[in-house]
Amino acid sequence: FYRKRLVGKGISLSPPDEERVEEIDRIIYEELMFNQPKRESERTMKTYITNIAKQEIEAVVLACTELDLIVDTKANILPIYDSTEIHADAAVEWILADG
C-alpha cells in the first residue's frame, strides 16, 4: 500500500534489508502486538535508523502503526514519517472539514 502510493508520487524507495525486515516483524508480532515492548527492541530500531542514515536516505516511514511504541519519532537522526500520526491527523482534518 505505502510503496505504491509513494512511488506513484515520485518518491524513490530503498530496497528492504531482509534480515532487518525479519527482526522488525519479530518485534511487531512477538512484542508490540502484545503490548510488551522490550528495551532491546528500542535500541535495535535506533541502531537500524542510525545505520540507514549513513546511506543516502533522507527519511524513514514507519509503515506499521505499532512501531511508534518503540521509536521516538521526534528524536532521531532522520525525519520519521509515522503512519499512526499521519492517519490521526488526516482523520481530524476529515472530521473538521466543512461540507
Side-chain angles (χ1 to χ4, degrees), residues 73-74 80-97:
T73 61
K74 306 296 185 218
I80 306 287
Y81 292 93
D82 175 14
S83 62
T84 303
E85 184 177 349
I86 292 167
H87 281 103
D89 290 346
V92 169
E93 285 181 31
W94 180 74
I95 290 168
L96 297 177

Side-chain angles (χ1 to χ4, degrees), residues 1-3 6 28 60-69 71 73-74 79-92:
F1 170 75
Y2 291 107
R3 179 174 295 280
L6 293 170
I28 293 167
V60 172
V61 175
L62 294 183
C64 172
T65 56
E66 285 84 5
L67 286 173
D68 67 348
L69 297 171
V71 174
T73 61
K74 306 296 185 218
I80 306 287
Y81 292 93
D82 175 14
S83 62
T84 303
E85 184 177 349
I86 292 167
H87 281 103
D89 290 346
V92 169

Side-chain angles (χ1 to χ4, degrees), residues 1 3 9 15 21 35 47 50 54 63 65 70 73 78 80 84:
F1 170 75
R3 179 174 295 280
K9 296 203 178 278
V21 169
N35 197 27
T47 299
T50 300
K54 294 176 184 174
T65 56
I70 59 170
T73 61
L78 287 173
I80 306 287
T84 303

